[in-house]
Amino acid sequence: MSNSTVSFYDRPQSFSFSDIIVIATYFLLNLAVGIWSSCRVSRNTLSGYFLAGRDMAWWPIGASLFASSEGSGLFIGLAGTGAAGGIAVTGFEWNATYVLLALAWVFVPVYISSGIVTMPEYLGRRFGGERIRTYLAVLSLLLSVFTKISTDLYSGALFIQVCLGWNLYLSTVLMLVVTALYTIAGGLAAVIYTDTLQTFVMIVGAIILTITAFNKIGGYSNLERVYSLAVPSKIIPNSTCHLPREDAMHLFRDAVTGDLPWPGMTLGLFILATWYWCSDQVIVQRSLSAKNMSHVKGASILAAYLKLLPFIFIILPGMISRALYPDSVGCVDPEECVRVCGAEVGCSNIAFPTLVIELMPSGLRGLMIAVMMAALMSSLTSIFNSSSTLFTMDIWKKHRPRATEKELLLVGRIVTVILVVVSVVWIPILQSANSGQLYVYIQSVTSYLAPPVTAVFTLAVFWKRTNEQGAFWGLMVGLVVGVCRMVLEFAFPPARCGVVDSAPAVLRSVHYLHFAILLCGLTAIVVTTVSLLTPPPTHEQLCNLTWWTLTEEQPREIPLQKVSSISHRSSQGSEPTRRVTCGQGTGLCVSASRRSEDTPAPRVLSLRESVFWSRFCCANAILLVSINIFLYAYFA
């Protein structure tokens, strides 16, 4: 890193005493909410620590779903991509509406009736055997560390470093320690209630910044004009990459030449969103902690309404930032970009921090620092809690089936500490990998690894004939193809402005969102073919485990970990069995597990709900979809 870059980062900031008061107050409030929520729920049972006692209301869950998805990676990434290419990136947020409704109305009823805590556990019960469950647990942990934790840490540290001039490691380690403390101490209840506080802080702070930014350019009516004129003073001759896109104010872009082509932004994005919202541990764990199905639906509707907001308070301010500061945010000359932000490929990532430094008055600047800390901590708490659940329930419990609850809780907390250590070690690697395309990095890596999981979960829920062999080989083929594309992508990164692109034609001609469609389709074909060529799943692998079998009649013995043709075990397995009655019309397995006398039975979530609240939720869902379709049509 050049001296000029260091001088940029270390420049003295006009950081007043009132800013420090605001940040300190915010941290104290956060810890107080974490401690209060921890005391409300029993943290010494697995259900209490990992599922918040299954007694959460719709509003904290909805706020937590939103806050978990809006980490600092999205604050920095959405504003940066908005600055670089306009409003098309809004599709990533608005597409969530339909998948959140599918989560509450379709997927959660299946997960509840199957009596699971983690997503790999669902596939373990649906297909039998261990290999799919283990593969999914490991894949989820890797995705957490290398896409979620790493990008959130990098972007959060970048923000604080740019705004405050603090040492990168000091600010990151401080936040990690505070975050990990209340995650380890409080479990999911602490995470959900602190998420609710942070959602409120995020929205208030971002609205103030947005109003200030729009006042600076003379209102929304001037945005398109000032953005189209945002050309940096230093440009690269014989190139057009310094010019803002002509289609910047359009959601749907050309299917072939667009930076975010419309087929990818509809179908391809739907595949990625289905993985994230309907089969990712971070999100589903929150929905499973609800009191009943009405609260699950209410939480999804609230989260979907909140997901409409980033367009106004993250993406449009990113565009304003480029309009106001084209030489820094919109730089294209490599030397100039290194001087400004330390990255040759561009400085769009600093769009949001730059607005905060330049526009916010004393005190409010502290509030915005608190907002970014909230985003980072919210995202990290979600990942730490869910990753420790995954490791405890799907890896540790498999190797130590007789482990006590105390042992499992201790292991969950130790895993959180290990994740913190790995995250801190990863910081210098991220710092040296100064990517100017943070949001694209997150989405493209997801496009290479997530579509096979989407295909398998969807077929598992909706097609009764799907079996273990089909699902496993579908995942393996999808993994190989996805990793090959990912290796090519990192071997041939996008060329910077004015440099000839040496990447193979197939790499640039197939957009990563189009690749997600092809990969999901390929996985589905493999799953279907292998499933039809091998024996069908047993009745125990279908009862209350698919959408079509939620109302089976016959009572059956279902082992907690079923045996498949792959995994032969003695019938005297060490795990307890649960006697399951598939109740007609309720779609709910009534479980009578043989438990140790000192372990209280966890609260079972019922699929039944009041007629009034069921209709109220459905009416709200229809209104939500209508608003979403109107917004898409208006900005398309």
Side-chain angles (χ1 to χ4, degrees):
M1 191 179 281
S2 66
N3 293 330
S4 56
T5 310
V6 174
S7 65
F8 165 79
Y9 280 141
D10 293 341
R11 66 186 179 184
Q13 302 298 337
S14 52
F15 202 58
S16 66
F17 182 69
S18 54
D19 291 323
I20 295 168
I21 293 290
V22 169
I23 293 175
T25 304
Y26 163 76
F27 265 101
L28 289 173
L29 193 60
N30 222 355
L31 280 172
V33 170
I35 292 165
W36 169 78
S37 58
S38 302
C39 295
R40 287 185 76 252
V41 175
S42 169
R43 293 170 291 123
N44 295 321
T45 66
L46 286 176
S47 176
Y49 185 78
F50 290 131
L51 289 178
R54 282 197 156 144
D55 196 33
M56 300 300 291
W58 61 275
W59 57 271
I61 297 174
S64 181
L65 288 172
F66 172 72
S68 300
S69 68
E70 298 296 326
S72 55
L74 284 206
F75 258 86
I76 298 274
L78 281 174
T81 307
I87 68 168
V89 72
T90 307
F92 284 96
E93 298 295 287
W94 289 357
N95 188 274
T97 294
Y98 307 100
V99 190
L100 273 164
L101 296 180
L103 169 69
W105 266 263
V106 177
F107 285 87
V108 167
V110 175
Y111 297 149
I112 289 172
S113 69
S114 59
I116 53 98
V117 174
T118 70
M119 295 299 93
E121 187 185 357
Y122 168 72
L123 291 186
R125 287 195 176 157
R126 171 67 177 82
F127 295 126
E130 295 286 358
R131 55 187 187 174
I132 292 179
R133 182 175 175 172
T134 304
Y135 165 74
L136 198 65
V138 173
L139 180 70
S140 299
L141 284 170
L142 289 176
L143 275 169
S144 290
V145 171
F146 297 116
T147 63
K148 297 174 187 174
I149 298 178
S150 60
T151 53
D152 280 340
L153 276 179
Y154 170 69
S155 52
L158 177 76
F159 186 95
I160 290 167
Q161 194 177 28
V162 168
C163 287
L164 306 185
W166 286 6
N167 178 282
L168 181 78
Y169 301 99
L170 174 68
S171 54
T172 312
V173 170
L174 174 71
M175 280 189 293
L176 274 171
V177 168
V178 175
T179 303
L181 271 179
Y182 69 69
T183 308
I184 294 167
L188 186 62
V191 172
I192 290 180
Y193 278 108
T194 48
D195 276 358
T196 308
L197 168 70
Q198 289 160 1
T199 302
F200 178 74
V201 174
M202 272 191 233
I203 292 173
V204 170
I207 285 172
I208 293 168
L209 180 62
T210 303
I211 293 170
T212 311
F214 272 114
N215 285 339
K216 193 79 172 174
I217 63 164
Y220 178 78
S221 56
N222 285 334
L223 176 60
E224 187 171 3
R225 182 183 61 81
V226 296
Y227 182 79
S228 65
L229 298 174
V231 177
S233 53
K234 277 192 178 182
I235 63 171
I236 294 175
N238 305 319
S239 72
T240 58
C241 50
H242 57 278
L243 298 174
R245 294 186 65 92
E246 291 180 2
D247 56 3
M249 298 303 290
H250 297 280
L251 270 179
F252 288 163
R253 308 267 168 96
D254 188 274
V256 178
T257 60
D259 59 333
L260 293 170
W262 70 263
M265 289 298 287
T266 48
L267 184 55
L269 193 50
F270 188 79
I271 290 167
L272 300 189
T274 302
W275 165 76
Y276 182 75
W277 293 103
C278 299
S279 69
D280 186 50
Q281 183 68 21
V282 173
I283 297 301
V284 177
Q285 190 177 352
R286 273 141 192 72
S287 293
L288 290 178
S289 68
K291 290 179 181 179
N292 57 43
M293 279 307 302
S294 295
H295 283 272
V296 172
K297 292 174 181 177
S300 277
I301 291 168
L302 174 62
Y305 274 120
L306 292 173
K307 290 293 279 184
L308 300 177
L309 300 179
F311 169 66
I312 299 167
F313 67 66
I314 300 179
I315 294 163
L316 293 183
M319 295 177 69
I320 295 171
S321 184
R322 174 168 176 166
L324 293 175
Y325 315 106
D327 287 340
S328 55
V329 177
C331 74
V332 290
D333 179 68
E335 290 182 8
E336 180 69 11
C337 290
V338 167
R339 189 186 69 77
V340 169
C341 67
E344 286 188 346
V345 288
C347 293
S348 60
N349 281 341
I350 68 166
F352 201 81
T354 302
L355 273 187
V356 173
I357 296 171
E358 303 292 347
L359 296 187
M360 296 298 270
S362 178
L364 286 180
R365 190 186 296 114
L367 178 68
M368 287 311 296
I369 301 289
V371 167
M372 288 309 296
M373 288 182 176
L376 174 69
M377 292 170 64
S378 159
S379 195
L380 288 176
T381 50
S382 303
I383 298 158
F384 288 151
N385 184 270
S386 299
S387 298
S388 65
T389 309
L390 266 177
F391 184 86
T392 305
M393 305 307 286
D394 290 306
I395 297 173
W396 189 264
K397 201 174 179 185
K398 175 186 154 189
H399 294 293
R400 284 187 54 83
R402 293 185 180 276
T404 62
E405 277 212 358
K406 278 188 177 178
E407 180 183 331
L408 293 175
L409 287 165
L410 179 64
V411 168
R413 288 168 173 143
I414 290 171
V415 168
T416 308
V417 174
I418 292 169
L419 284 172
V420 170
V421 173
V422 172
S423 306
V424 175
V425 170
W426 194 246
I427 293 171
I429 300 167
L430 281 169
Q431 195 182 19
S432 62
N434 273 322
S435 168
Q437 301 290 325
L438 182 70
Y439 196 72
V440 173
Y441 163 80
I442 298 170
Q443 299 303 334
S444 59
V445 169
T446 307
S447 297
Y448 309 143
L449 298 176
V453 180
T454 300
V456 166
F457 265 95
T458 307
L459 287 169
V461 169
F462 290 109
W463 191 44
K464 292 195 284 187
R465 187 63 178 75
T466 313
N467 64 16
E468 197 272 350
Q469 290 93 323
F472 178 76
W473 289 110
L475 286 172
M476 290 302 103
V477 170
L479 176 69
V480 170
V481 175
V483 167
C484 288
R485 167 73 191 236
M486 190 163 73
V487 169
L488 276 176
E489 193 74 45
F490 286 122
F492 299 98
R496 67 174 188 266
C497 189
V499 177
V500 178
D501 195 348
S502 60
V506 67
L507 194 61
R508 296 291 176 256
S509 59
V510 181
H511 192 274
Y512 64 86
L513 289 172
H514 291 164
F515 179 79
I517 301 172
L518 297 173
L519 185 58
C520 187
L522 173 67
T523 305
I525 290 168
V526 173
V527 173
T528 305
T529 306
V530 176
S531 291
L532 290 173
L533 294 174
T534 49
T538 62
H539 178 83
E540 287 81 4
Q541 293 171 343
L542 297 177
C543 174
N544 281 332
L545 290 163
T546 75
W547 177 249
W548 314 111
T549 55
L550 293 185
T551 54
E552 301 275 337
E553 288 184 351
Q554 292 172 303
R556 294 276 180 141
E557 289 283 334
I558 301 182
L560 268 182
Q561 194 56 57
K562 294 181 294 298
V563 178
S564 75
S565 56
I566 310 301
S567 165
H568 296 285
R569 286 188 179 185
S570 161
S571 59
Q572 288 91 30
S574 55
E575 293 200 24
T577 59
R578 46 175 211 143
R579 178 173 285 107
V580 176
T581 308
C582 296
Q584 178 69 32
T586 65
L588 179 68
C589 278
V590 184
S591 173
S593 297
R594 298 173 197 147
R595 303 174 186 280
S596 58
E597 290 179 10
D598 60 329
T599 306
R603 187 176 177 277
V604 178
L605 191 56
S606 171
L607 292 183
R608 292 182 179 180
E609 54 185 321
S610 118
V611 175
F612 171 77
W613 288 114
S614 176
R615 289 175 179 169
F616 182 79
C617 289
C618 288
N620 255 294
I622 292 167
L623 175 64
L624 171 67
V625 170
S626 303
I627 294 170
N628 187 276
I629 290 171
F630 169 77
L631 289 171
Y632 260 111
Y634 185 80
F635 289 103

